[in-house]
Amino acid sequence: MQVLKNKHILVGVTGSIAAYRIPDLIRSLQNKGAQVKAIMTKGAQAFITPLTLSALTRNQVYTDIFEFHSEYPIIHLNLTDWADLFVIAPASADIIAKLAQGMADDLLTSAALGCPRPILVCPAMNTRMYLNPAVQRNLNILEKLGFHLMKPATGNLACGVQGQGRLPDIEDITTWIESFFFPKDLKGYKVLVTAGPTQEFLDPVRFISNRSSGKMGFAIAKIAAARGAKTILISGPTSLRPSYGVEFIPVVSCAEMKEAVLSLYEDVDVVIMAAAVADFRPCYVSQKIKKTERLNLELEKTEDILFVLGQRKRHQLLIGFAAETKDLLKEAQRKLQQKNLDLIVANDVIQPGAGFESETNKVSLIYRSGARENWPLMSKEAVAMRLIDRIKRILCRIC
Ligand code: CTP
């Protein structure tokens, strides 16, 4: 699933030390199928060279409004006609001030002024500069003028201090750009997604868990947020990073997940329980269990979160996952009914390319009405995309 396939992204680079991260942004956009062209200001060229960006974009890099290019005779207008989106990253305090004033004293500012497409501005500068009221005023003006803004990240800055002002992570800028091209058909809805395994501790150093990587749930949360839903992701421990725009609540055990889910349940429209919640937990002892010849563990059943949600269901749309190794559809159907679900995604977790840890998944859907769909092997993001399509259809029928 490549929403950026053949999309034209014009990247405007300005004079900030974060310019050194733009080659990674270009690669990241290209990996998603986008075509990229770049404009650089004079300041940007103090940090990286046009040759670097030319080699990466495989295109001429444009730096001078007074230089003639036969492919783009009116360079500042033709470049933005080519673009589907203009991304100014990093955006220095200087460019932000110029854009706020409508100045057009070089190629980048002139292109922005005549740009018929949306413009995303990603500020990056020292914290004191970023928090300066003049910069904040200019950013407010940009917002009012219809520019899209990403907030800078907080962390180590090139000047040696910690604070807000870092160019957002390349992954986050890429997600923002991808999201821009998604339909916003879930706007106004609140979606709660669970993901990952839970860990049930038996002593301070050991736990029982399962092989869930969290990829399916994280992908669903990413797509739901990209399609405009206010999205909350509650996940057990994984190595994944939640997508930009997703509110994240990390948990460890089934009990913690249950508490987090229930505290939000009243307020959400859709719950998608993609988490592989542990079914059993050991009795916890507070000291490390010492080595012996044999250890008998007594496990007690955890609470079934989805079952509880099904019992308390009012306006919410409830979607479960069924992780099976045999009798896939029969077991999924049983869970759909027992847990009072609207839809269940049945997942044969031992099939090659499906289930835990894999980048792909092969699922079947069973609706409350009894209708079924069998989907082919797809990337987890593609499964997430289709699943959100189906959820949207059900929501439309309810409304
Ligand atoms: N689930 C849950 N709480 C649990 C166990 C499961 O909320 N304690 C949810 C899962 O998130 C999933 C659905 O219930 O959406 C089905 O989970 P699955 O592990 O397939 O089935 P179980 O109900 O645990 O039944 P079994 O282990 O017998 O297959």
Side-chain angles (χ1 to χ4, degrees):
M1 198 206 50
Q2 286 200 310
V3 276
L4 291 188
K5 194 163 171 54
N6 295 327
K7 288 284 185 287
H8 292 177
I9 311 295
L10 179 63
V11 177
V13 189
T14 74
S16 153
I17 181 76
Y20 81 91
R21 291 170 59 202
I22 296 310
D24 281 342
L25 175 64
I26 291 171
R27 291 294 280 273
S28 165
L29 295 172
Q30 288 171 329
N31 287 342
K32 304 266 178 190
Q35 293 180 37
V36 183
K37 292 189 182 194
I39 295 177
M40 293 176 78
T41 62
K42 204 159 167 249
Q45 294 169 65
F47 294 99
I48 52 169
T49 70
L51 184 61
T52 311
L53 298 196
S54 286
L56 286 170
T57 58
R58 303 194 194 293
N59 279 309
Q60 166 93 43
V61 167
Y62 303 93
T63 55
D64 186 353
I65 192 166
F66 299 117
E67 198 176 315
F68 183 76
H69 300 274
S70 53
E71 76 279 21
Y72 290 135
I74 317 290
I75 180 83
H76 59 298
L77 300 178
N78 299 154
L79 269 174
T80 51
D81 283 336
W82 171 86
D84 293 304
L85 179 70
F86 188 10
V87 180
I88 302 178
S92 63
D94 181 59
I95 193 75
I96 289 166
K98 284 177 175 167
L99 294 174
Q101 291 309 310
M103 284 175 70
D105 64 347
D106 65 2
L107 177 57
L108 198 152
T109 46
S110 306
L113 210 54
C115 184
R117 311 276 182 246
I119 303 178
L120 169 66
V121 174
C122 303
M125 65 198 76
N126 161 274
T127 307
R128 289 204 302 268
M129 291 171 75
Y130 177 69
L131 295 178
N132 186 299
V135 173
Q136 290 300 314
R137 177 201 59 207
N138 290 337
L139 286 167
N140 281 335
I141 294 174
L142 290 193
E143 202 157 20
K144 286 195 189 108
L145 290 173
F147 286 80
H148 298 276
L149 298 175
M150 273 187 90
K151 280 209 182 327
T154 300
N156 289 330
L157 300 174
C159 48
V161 299
Q162 279 257 337
Q164 190 175 15
R166 274 175 66 81
L167 185 71
D169 279 337
I170 298 305
E171 202 182 319
D172 289 346
I173 302 179
T174 309
T175 302
W176 192 100
I177 295 171
E178 275 188 289
S179 302
F180 174 78
F181 292 101
F182 278 98
K184 297 286 175 268
D185 54 350
L186 284 193
K187 202 168 165 51
Y189 291 105
K190 254 193 181 178
V191 175
L192 172 60
V193 184
T194 66
T198 63
Q199 294 178 347
E200 311 299 327
F201 276 75
L202 51 131
D203 71 12
V205 294
R206 302 184 182 95
F207 57 81
I208 292 179
S209 191
N210 59 62
R211 286 175 53 206
S212 170
S213 62
K215 285 178 189 161
M216 193 62 250
F218 275 64
I220 294 169
K222 173 182 172 176
I223 303 292
R227 289 175 61 165
K230 177 169 172 28
T231 306
I232 306 151
L233 173 65
I234 299 176
S235 177
T238 73
S239 59
L240 305 176
R241 189 170 169 273
S243 256
Y244 182 75
V246 170
E247 187 183 325
F248 184 59
I249 304 176
V251 294
V252 176
S253 63
C254 169
E256 280 177 28
M257 185 173 278
K258 182 183 161 218
E259 195 186 326
V261 169
L262 288 182
S263 71
L264 296 165
Y265 192 43
E266 267 308 297
D267 203 28
V268 297
D269 303 293
V270 181
V271 180
I272 307 168
M273 282 288 302
V277 186
D279 288 326
F280 301 102
R281 78 170 143 246
C283 292
Y284 182 76
V285 291
S286 56
Q287 300 299 325
K288 186 183 167 203
I289 300 169
K290 287 292 171 189
K291 193 158 50 193
T292 51
E293 276 311 310
R294 191 175 296 274
L295 174 68
N296 291 318
L297 274 183
E298 199 175 339
L299 304 176
E300 63 177 358
K301 202 163 163 276
T302 57
E303 200 154 3
D304 190 321
I305 305 169
L306 195 49
F307 181 80
V308 176
L309 298 183
Q311 300 255 298
R312 299 188 189 177
K313 185 162 85 167
R314 289 221 294 261
H315 60 279
Q316 300 89 344
L317 196 68
L318 212 50
I319 292 119
F321 270 69
E324 308 297 344
T325 53
K326 70 170 192 176
D327 299 333
L328 178 69
L329 296 177
K330 193 169 141 240
E331 279 300 291
Q333 178 73 47
R334 178 181 65 80
K335 289 173 190 175
L336 176 94
Q337 268 151 359
Q338 258 177 15
K339 304 194 190 201
N340 191 22
L341 309 180
D342 298 284
L343 172 64
I344 193 154
V345 183
N347 204 178
D348 182 344
V349 288
I350 50 176
Q351 227 187 79
F356 299 135
E357 292 155 13
S358 161
E359 291 301 331
T360 53
N361 208 355
K362 187 170 182 317
V363 300
S364 298
L365 266 60
I366 307 179
Y367 293 83
R368 202 180 174 77
S369 65
R372 292 183 178 186
E373 292 183 35
N374 296 315
W375 292 355
L377 188 72
M378 293 187 275
S379 72
K380 285 187 172 168
E381 270 198 18
V383 171
M385 190 72 180
R386 268 207 207 184
L387 181 61
I388 298 289
D389 286 344
R390 301 305 186 266
I391 291 170
K392 179 68 215 293
R393 264 193 228 160
I394 305 175
L395 286 169
C396 285
R397 261 183 256 141
I398 296 172
C399 295

